[in-house]
C-alpha cells in the first residue's frame, strides 16, 4: 500500500488514533478502475477527488502527475493478471479531538489496490428500495459511509439483496454504492446530477457510451412509480460496470431477466473495456498510464 509518502506492506501501515479520519470520518476517497494496464478516466477521477477535497476545505496534497505515479506504483506492486481498482483516501490528518478545523494540518494520504471481482449478470441482481437516510452533500465522496453501510446491510438481511435503491421525497437518488438507470419503452433515464447523489464517473461514461451508440438516454427525475413499473433497472459503479436489477422488493423487474436494452448497453460497455485494455479507446490510449500489467 501507499501511506504518507512511501510504499510498504499493508500489515506495516499504521495511522494515529488521533487522525481525524478515524475520529470524525473527516476525509474523502476515490476508486479508480484499471482495465488491462490502462487506468480508466484518470482525469475525471482526479477532478472529482479535487472537488471533494475542496468541498471539505482541503487542497489536493498531490499534483495529478504525482497521483499518477502513486497509482502506477501500486499497480506495479500488486500484479494480478486481472482488472483492478485503486483506492485513494485523503483525511485531514492528526489533531486534538475538536470539531473546529485547526489549520494547517498534514493530511494522511493512503492508497491500495485490489482485483475487480469477475461478475456474471446472466440472472441479474436483487435490490430493495429504502428511504434515503443520508445527508445533504452526497456529491462529496466522503469516507463517512455509515448510512450506506446500514442500508446495504438491511438489503442483505431482507432477502439477500445486493443493493438498496434510495428514494428521497418520492424520487430516486441513487443506490447505496451505485448510480441508477431505468428503462421504459426503450428509453433510458438516470437521475440528473445534484447534491443528492454522487456524480459517478462510470455513470457519466455509460451515458456517453449509450448516446454514442445511438441509444436514447436522458437525465432527469425518476419517480417511485416509474421505478416500480420500469421495464429494466440497472445500477452502475467503477467495480460493477453495468449490473441489471431483475428483482426489486421481491417482485420481478420486467420479465425477471436482464432486458434487451441492458444487453445492448453491456455489449457497448464490454467493447469499451476491450478498447481500454488494448490502449485504443478514445482518450484512454497509450500514455494515459504507466501502469504495469
Amino acid at each position: 500500500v501507499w501511506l504518507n509518502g512511501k510504499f510498504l506492506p499493508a500489515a506495516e501501515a499504521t495511522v494515529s488514533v488521533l487522525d481525524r479520519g478515524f475520529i470524525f470520518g473527516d476525509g474523502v476517497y476515490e476508486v479508480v478502475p484499471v482495465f488491462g494496464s490502462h487506468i480508466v478516466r484518470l482525469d475525471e477521477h482526479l477532478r472529482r477527488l479535487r472537488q471533494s477535497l475542496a468541498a471539505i476545505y482541503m487542497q489536493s496534497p498531490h499534483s495529478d502527475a504525482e497521483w499518477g505515479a502513486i497509482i502506477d506504483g501500486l499497480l506495479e506492486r500488486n500484479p494480478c493478471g486481472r482488472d483492478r481498482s485503486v483506492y485513494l483516501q485523503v483525511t485531514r490528518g492528526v489533531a486534538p479531538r475538536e470539531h473546529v478545523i485547526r489549520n494547517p494540518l498534514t493530511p494522511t494520504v493512503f492508497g491500495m489496490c485490489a482485483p475487480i471481482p469477475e461478475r456474471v449478470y446472466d440472472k441479474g441482481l436483487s435490490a430493495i428500495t429504502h428511504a434515503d437516510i443520508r445527508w445533504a452533500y452526497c456529491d462529496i465522496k466522503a469516507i463517512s459511509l455509515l448510512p450506506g453501510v446500514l442500508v446495504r446491510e438491511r438489503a442483505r438481511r431482507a432477502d439477500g439483496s445486493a443493493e438498496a435503491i434510495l428514494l428521497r421525497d418520492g424520487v430516486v437518488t441513487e443506490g447505496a454504492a451505485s448510480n441508477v438507470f431505468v428503462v421504459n419503452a426503450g428509453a433510458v433515464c438516470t437521475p440528473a446530477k445534484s447534491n443528492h447523489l454522487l456524480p459517478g464517473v462510470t455513470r457519466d461514461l455509460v451515458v456517453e457510451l449509450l448516446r454514442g451508440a445511438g441509444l436514447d438516454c436522458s437525465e432527469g427525475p425518476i419517480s417511485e412509480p416509474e421505478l416500480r413499473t420500469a421495464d429494466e433497472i440497472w445500477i452502475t459503479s467503477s467495480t460493477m460496470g453495468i449490473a441489471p436489477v431483475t428483482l426489486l422488493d421481491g417482485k420481478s423487474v420486467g420479465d425477471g431477466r436482464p432486458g434487451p436494452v441492458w444487453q445492448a448497453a453491456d455489449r457497448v460497455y464490454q467493447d469499451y473495456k476491450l478498447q481500454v485494455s488494448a490502449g485504443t479507446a478514445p482518450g484512454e490510449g497509450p500514455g494515459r498510464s504507466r501502469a504495469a500489467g
Side-chain angles (χ1 to χ4, degrees):
V1 301
W2 168 272
L3 182 63
N4 294 335
K6 60 183 179 181
F7 296 102
L8 71 168
E12 298 177 14
T14 60
V15 178
S16 169
V17 294
L18 293 180
D19 191 284
R20 287 178 62 95
F22 176 69
I23 297 292
F24 289 120
D26 186 358
V28 302
Y29 73 102
E30 191 64 36
V31 179
V32 185
V34 180
F35 299 152
S37 61
H38 292 271
I39 301 171
V40 180
R41 302 275 161 136
L42 180 59
D43 291 345
E44 287 83 350
H45 283 284
L46 293 181
R47 182 182 306 117
R48 186 172 65 177
L49 179 60
R50 289 194 302 271
Q51 291 171 342
S52 292
L53 285 164
I56 64 168
Y57 310 109
M58 291 185 67
Q59 292 184 337
S60 179
H62 293 293
S63 67
D64 285 3
E66 290 169 339
W67 281 123
I70 291 169
I71 293 171
D72 287 338
L74 287 167
L75 294 168
E76 290 165 3
R77 289 164 174 81
N78 293 276
C80 69
R82 293 165 51 188
D83 294 340
R84 291 164 285 176
S85 65
V86 174
Y87 177 90
L88 303 173
Q89 177 173 300
V90 182
T91 74
R92 204 175 302 276
V94 178
R97 190 192 182 282
E98 58 179 341
H99 285 69
V100 175
I101 299 170
R102 302 293 184 183
N103 289 322
L105 297 177
T106 301
T108 298
V109 182
F110 170 69
M112 63 181 176
C113 178
I116 294 178
E118 296 181 5
R119 304 177 188 273
V120 177
Y121 295 131
D122 55 338
K123 295 183 179 179
L125 302 178
S126 173
I128 66 168
T129 55
H130 196 284
D132 193 339
I133 59 174
R134 305 166 306 163
W135 67 332
Y137 298 102
C138 294
D139 52 325
I140 301 173
K141 201 167 177 68
I143 63 173
S144 45
L145 293 173
L146 184 58
V149 169
L150 292 178
V151 295
R152 266 279 181 101
E153 179 62 12
R154 289 174 185 174
R156 186 187 71 83
R157 293 188 180 207
D159 58 6
S161 286
E163 182 60 300
I165 294 177
L166 305 178
L167 297 161
R168 187 188 294 258
D169 298 325
V171 175
V172 174
T173 51
E174 58 185 344
S178 62
N179 290 107
V180 178
F181 289 72
V182 301
V183 180
N184 278 302
V188 185
C189 183
T190 189
K193 295 179 185 180
S194 74
N195 60 301
H196 291 153
L197 67 150
L198 184 73
V201 174
T202 300
R203 169 207 179 275
D204 291 351
L205 171 62
V206 170
V207 170
E208 177 185 318
L209 291 175
L210 291 175
R211 291 173 176 171
L215 296 171
D216 185 11
C217 182
S218 62
E219 301 173 73
I222 300 169
S223 68
E224 182 174 354
E226 288 172 326
L227 174 71
R228 296 194 182 280
T229 59
D231 298 327
E232 301 180 30
I233 300 173
W234 316 335
I235 53 178
T236 64
S237 76
S238 292
T239 56
M240 287 193 302
I242 311 174
V245 174
T246 52
L247 199 67
L248 183 67
D249 288 334
K251 297 182 179 179
S252 294
V253 177
D255 63 3
R257 297 177 295 179
V261 183
W262 173 81
Q263 293 174 18
D266 189 59
R267 283 193 296 270
V268 173
Y269 182 74
Q270 296 303 327
D271 183 61
Y272 170 81
K273 287 182 63 176
L274 291 174
Q275 292 181 53
V276 171
S277 298
T280 59
E284 305 288 356
R288 296 294 301 141
S289 166
R290 298 179 301 281

